[in-house]
Amino acid sequence: MQLKTRIIPYTLQFKRPAGTSRGVYLDHKIWYVVVSSISEPERWGIGECAPLFDLSPDYDEQYEDRLRHFCNNLEKEGQLDVESLRSYPSILFGLETALRHLEQGSFKLWDTPFSRQEKGIAINGLVWMGDYTYMYEQIEAKLEQGFRCIKLKIGAIDFDKELELLHLIRKSYDADKITLRVDANGAFSTVDAMDKLKRLAELDIHSIEQPIKAGQWNEMAHLTSVTPLPIALDEELIGIYRPEDKKRLLEKIKPQYIILKPTLHGGICGCNEWIELAGSMKIDWWITSALESNIGLNAIAQWCAIFDPEIPQGLGTGGLYTNNIHMPLLIKGDCLWNTTDDTKKVIQDLKNKTHNEMFDM
């Protein structure tokens, strides 16, 4: 099939500043990639390239030029060269999901109980960093919504204050009722990490993501070997592209969990490699979105549903933006649901918000 590609830049606006231990996001520049058939122009698929400017290994000022280069290669070859894209995970994710959409002719990218509206995907309720009052308000809201797994981003305010917030939850809900996860985004130093892990473990924390900065394999391996609570690797997986290097990292650090984000960790195909390796080493995992719009979130959720996961996933970021693209995704209680195949509404919203004439077709 001869293919034609279009690149549509778009800037997502956060409803309120989104804080992590690395800084605060006010907006998020992304690129939609539309792949269509030259012989059948009514057939097209859309994918989302959504690098994070301070975290993605493939983001720099030449990002759009590089994206255009890979789109030109796709037009020339008629198929995706995955090996050449291993170092560009956000571009790979956008192109592979656009091709999947083109192939399927539907935003239901895989046939699963989720895509057939028969089953939701359990997700965690995410509490963003902020001052004590803001974080407390988020916790109350998530509990009222019915979330049974709460995840707090920590590392931005005083650690004792963050512990106090966790204590408030545990006073009313034990670990059988509410699962607590924390994400440090590498905020702990190697000096104080173990002391903080011990204090967190007293609160029956399910797991902590990336307690120290990535790249310190020896230090992280020591932590995972003596930790009083499970450690999940996140940023540690960024920039590890080849299967043999993925295996070397997991064998060295031996984490209890890994967290998979296609935009950061190698697209769908790269994350499938991580899952296969983790399974062979009896390392558990879950899937998380990485601030994509609903186009990318839908693709991740559709793929995630293939595995019929039992533990909560990290797929609830679709409500962060004022100008998100409409998709038939709905959070009910603590589950993400695919509601209808409302393709016309999605296309109309894409046309209105991107001001792109291609969506007139």
Side-chain angles (χ1 to χ4, degrees), residues 14-84:
F14 282 91
K15 292 177 179 177
R16 63 170 293 156
T20 76
S21 60
R22 294 183 302 273
V24 177
Y25 291 105
L26 302 176
D27 56 35
H28 185 194
K29 186 171 184 180
I30 64 172
W31 288 262
Y32 292 124
V33 179
V34 180
V35 181
S36 57
S37 165
I38 290 178
S39 60
E40 302 174 79
E42 72 281 359
R43 291 185 59 193
W44 58 271
I46 188 169
E48 177 178 349
C49 303
L52 297 170
F53 74 91
D54 61 345
L55 190 59
S56 293
D58 53 353
Y59 180 78
D60 58 26
E61 293 182 356
Q62 285 74 50
Y63 184 88
E64 188 168 330
D65 292 336
R66 189 177 299 111
L67 174 58
R68 197 172 305 280
H69 165 76
F70 284 115
C71 285
N72 290 340
N73 283 353
L74 178 60
E75 291 181 352
K76 185 186 303 182
E77 302 297 330
Q79 60 185 7
L80 205 57
D81 182 358
V82 172
E83 288 304 312
S84 70

Side-chain angles (χ1 to χ4, degrees), residues 136 139-140 143-144 147 150 164-180 203-204:
Y136 180 72
I139 291 169
E140 283 198 317
L143 292 172
E144 287 177 7
F147 282 98
I150 304 292
E164 188 177 325
L165 287 166
L166 293 165
H167 270 291
L168 284 172
I169 301 174
R170 276 290 172 255
K171 281 182 181 178
S172 301
Y173 304 94
D174 62 26
D176 291 334
K177 298 292 183 183
I178 295 293
T179 299
L180 288 177
L203 293 164
D204 289 322

Side-chain angles (χ1 to χ4, degrees), residues 3 13 30 85 91 111 116 126 176 256 293 307 341 347:
L3 301 174
Q13 302 293 336
I30 64 172
L85 281 160
I91 294 176
D111 182 25
R116 296 193 297 269
L126 180 60
D176 291 334
Q256 285 74 33
S293 78
F307 302 101
D341 190 11
I347 294 172

Side-chain angles (χ1 to χ4, degrees), residues 119-342:
K119 186 176 182 180
I121 300 172
I123 60 175
N124 58 232
L126 180 60
V127 175
W128 283 89
M129 286 178 176
D131 60 30
Y132 182 92
T133 301
Y134 174 54
M135 292 181 74
Y136 180 72
E137 289 172 350
Q138 291 182 80
I139 291 169
E140 283 198 317
K142 298 299 180 185
L143 292 172
E144 287 177 7
Q145 283 177 256
F147 282 98
R148 291 169 291 176
C149 179
I150 304 292
K151 171 182 163 182
L152 277 75
K153 285 186 171 289
I154 61 174
I157 63 175
D158 180 75
F159 183 66
D160 287 330
K161 287 289 186 182
E162 291 168 336
L163 283 177
E164 188 177 325
L165 287 166
L166 293 165
H167 270 291
L168 284 172
I169 301 174
R170 276 290 172 255
K171 281 182 181 178
S172 301
Y173 304 94
D174 62 26
D176 291 334
K177 298 292 183 183
I178 295 293
T179 299
L180 288 177
R181 295 173 176 168
V182 294
D183 182 3
N185 287 130
F188 298 170
S189 73
T190 54
V191 174
D192 66 10
M194 183 53 66
D195 176 64
K196 290 181 174 179
L197 292 179
K198 289 177 180 177
R199 296 176 72 187
L200 287 165
E202 294 172 357
L203 293 164
D204 289 322
I205 303 297
H206 170 271
S207 58
I208 180 168
E209 298 179 30
Q210 204 68 44
I212 62 174
K213 288 182 180 177
Q216 304 176 89
W217 287 20
N218 288 333
E219 292 83 353
M220 188 70 87
H222 172 69
L223 284 179
T224 61
S225 67
V226 298
T227 182
L229 74 160
I231 290 175
L233 300 186
D234 179 355
E235 288 92 340
E236 203 73 64
L237 309 185
I238 295 172
I240 310 298
Y241 305 121
R242 297 182 303 173
E244 57 268 33
D245 292 332
K246 295 176 181 180
K247 183 179 180 183
R248 187 165 62 90
L249 181 147
L250 295 181
E251 288 178 339
K252 172 67 176 179
I253 298 180
K254 297 182 176 66
Q256 285 74 33
Y257 293 98
I258 59 173
I259 296 169
L260 299 167
K261 301 175 179 178
T263 287
L264 293 171
H265 300 147
I268 299 293
C269 60
C271 285
N272 283 335
E273 290 177 351
W274 281 114
I275 288 171
E276 184 175 351
L277 278 169
S280 70
M281 300 180 195
K282 303 205 175 346
I283 296 169
D284 212 341
W285 52 269
W286 68 85
I287 292 166
T288 301
S289 52
L291 300 180
E292 297 86 359
S293 78
N294 280 335
I295 298 293
L297 175 60
N298 176 70
I300 296 170
Q302 297 283 336
W303 165 66
C304 178
I306 295 173
F307 302 101
D308 194 20
E310 295 182 1
I311 65 174
Q313 309 293 295
L315 304 177
T317 59
L320 291 175
Y321 302 113
T322 61
N323 60 339
N324 211 334
I325 303 300
H326 167 81
M327 284 294 293
L329 298 172
L330 178 66
I331 296 175
K332 291 191 279 188
D334 66 345
C335 288
L336 181 71
W337 285 82
N338 180 61
T339 55
T340 62
D341 190 11
D342 197 354

